[in-house]
Amino acid sequence: MSRIQVAAVSSALLLLLAGCSHSPRELKSEAQRQKAPNFTLKDADGNPVNLTDYRGKVVLVNFWATWCGPCEVEIPWFVEFEQKYRDQGFAVLGLSMDDDGWKAVRPYIASHKINYRVMIASEIVSQQFGDIDSLPTSFMLDRQGRIATNHVGLVDKRDYQNEILKLLEVPKTAAVRAVGAGPLAVLTGAGVRAGQRP
Amino acid sequence: MALALSPSLRAQAFAQGNVLNYTPPRKVVAKAGAAVDSALPLDLRSGYHVNSNMPSDDYLIPLRLTWNPGPLEAAGFTFPKPEMGKYSFSEKPLSVYTGEFQIVTHFKASANAEPGPKTLTGKLRYQACNSSMCLPPKTLDVSLQVEIVK
């Protein structure tokens, strides 16, 4: 085999590997996680949504807007995740940054068949989450309401999926016990094993 | 009230400035009642695009230039021909502008405009994205120095 042929085969193999492999982002360690800012906003039905009510669940908080193309790519994924993992203690909360508010968002919810709760993000909430200035921006919260990771911009669907599955591995009862133990409580390997159910 | 995020996380995730900048347009000299054109040169940060004045979809925010009432009245605009950009997040090409471009405003000086130097102010509204994220719509204040002559 000539040197050129070897190089061509090597390049093809590298391209193939690049297409197949995926390096997911790691979740933050327990000690690195910060408590997510709480908020109370109204959903499309006018019902209040308080983030602390979701304690014990894995929550994906997604800042988005109807005019954001990359956000539109992610929405069907979130619809799927909500459907697939809801019963395991997972929820998506969509926070729209649309200046036109519900006038723009309600029709979008209907046309995109969004099955999770959507709210209009207030300026204060946006600031509390770090002055959201790029969309989509998402925060993955563990069952204790802490930010386990965040994503700015469009990322791989598998990243979300892997993170959700990892965070769901921590049983609800263990997470609730840790919350009850106080703000410095940290889950340790002693009490929690992957796949363990409450 | 819960704690806000740390400054380091903010900096990592959300540091974004204006991606579209404009060069102040050249001063225009206009006779009262006459027509005059003015170009507004724009420069968009590399890797970003803004929707054109006629975006591909209704939900996209168009590029808009408006001028406040003053000694000149905007009678029309000439936008450059948009690019049909293909992006991974969109199945169909998008009507966008990238890099350097300019918007020309076709003004008419009012017939009873008083001679002398004036400042015309306006607003440029745009919404920019790159291949993986979008920035909220922004409005820039623009101004034009005008000399009305007899």
Side-chain angles (χ1 to χ4, degrees):
Chain A
M1 196 179 279
S2 73
R3 194 176 286 179
I4 292 174
Q5 283 172 315
V6 169
V9 170
S10 302
S11 300
L13 277 173
L14 278 174
L15 282 173
L16 189 66
L17 284 170
C20 296
S21 67
H22 176 67
S23 303
R25 278 178 60 169
E26 290 293 316
L27 294 174
K28 291 178 201 288
S29 70
E30 300 277 348
Q32 288 175 317
R33 295 180 191 176
Q34 296 179 45
K35 193 76 82 185
N38 188 33
F39 59 78
T40 303
L41 295 167
K42 286 188 176 173
D43 67 12
D45 298 323
N47 298 317
V49 178
N50 191 320
L51 187 59
T52 55
D53 293 344
Y54 285 80
R55 200 61 55 82
K57 289 179 185 282
V58 172
V59 181
L60 195 167
V61 177
N62 171 239
F63 287 85
W64 66 289
T66 57
W67 40 259
C68 167
C71 303
E72 192 176 24
V73 174
E74 293 185 337
I75 285 172
W77 306 346
F78 298 160
V79 167
E80 180 189 326
F81 295 153
E82 174 81 13
Q83 175 76 24
K84 201 169 173 181
Y85 302 118
R86 181 191 286 151
D87 293 344
Q88 295 175 52
F90 171 75
V92 181
L93 297 177
L95 275 72
S96 162
M97 300 282 283
D98 282 83
D99 289 343
D100 291 342
W102 291 116
K103 182 183 160 196
V105 174
R106 273 208 183 87
Y108 196 95
I109 291 173
S111 64
H112 289 69
K113 297 182 170 56
I114 295 178
N115 60 352
Y116 51 86
R117 297 179 89 180
V118 172
M119 293 131 274
I120 306 297
S122 66
E123 190 71 31
I124 291 172
V125 171
S126 163
Q127 284 172 3
Q128 284 179 324
F129 274 85
D131 268 341
I132 304 295
D133 198 18
S134 301
L135 299 178
T137 290
S138 296
F139 297 84
M140 194 70 81
L141 312 187
D142 64 15
R143 290 190 192 267
Q144 295 176 68
R146 301 173 309 183
I147 297 170
T149 190
N150 69 300
H151 297 288
V152 180
L154 182 60
V155 294
D156 198 297
K157 180 183 177 184
R158 289 170 294 182
D159 282 349
Y160 284 119
Q161 180 122 15
N162 292 337
E163 290 159 7
I164 293 166
L165 291 173
K166 273 186 192 169
L167 291 169
L168 285 174
E169 284 175 356
V170 180
K172 185 179 176 182
T173 49
V176 170
R177 268 204 305 274
V179 170
L184 296 176
V186 173
L187 292 178
T188 64
V192 181
R193 286 198 199 118
Q196 186 181 358
R197 292 278 170 251
Chain B
M1 193 67 75
L3 294 173
L5 299 183
S6 70
S8 63
L9 186 57
R10 286 175 183 218
Q12 169 211 326
F14 312 114
Q16 296 285 344
N18 270 346
V19 296
L20 183 64
N21 293 304
Y22 79 96
T23 305
R26 283 186 198 161
K27 179 178 178 178
V28 296
V29 179
K31 282 187 177 178
V36 63
D37 288 350
S38 172
L40 180 69
L42 301 165
D43 185 5
L44 188 59
R45 189 186 297 175
S46 174
Y48 283 84
H49 63 266
V50 292
N51 297 314
S52 76
N53 58 317
M54 292 198 292
S56 315
D57 272 308
D58 289 343
Y59 69 85
L60 297 174
I61 295 172
L63 182 66
R64 284 273 181 272
L65 175 62
T66 54
W67 294 101
N68 298 321
L72 301 181
E73 185 186 341
F77 299 91
T78 299
F79 284 80
K81 186 183 176 190
E83 301 167 32
M84 294 307 290
K86 185 76 190 82
Y87 298 94
S88 59
F89 59 80
S90 178
E91 286 179 5
K92 58 184 179 184
L94 301 178
S95 174
V96 299
Y97 298 123
T98 60
E100 294 180 13
F101 58 100
Q102 62 180 26
I103 304 170
V104 176
T105 308
H106 307 292
F107 289 109
K108 187 173 180 196
S110 61
N112 54 2
E114 289 290 319
K118 317 274 180 191
T119 300
L120 192 65
T121 59
K123 293 191 182 300
L124 180 73
R125 180 172 158 85
Y126 71 94
Q127 194 271 305
C129 298
N130 63 23
S131 59
S132 71
M133 68 177 75
C134 292
L135 305 178
K138 286 201 171 178
T139 302
L140 297 180
D141 290 323
V142 293
S143 62
L144 174 64
Q145 299 305 311
V146 181
E147 181 78 34
I148 301 291
V149 293
K150 284 280 185 187

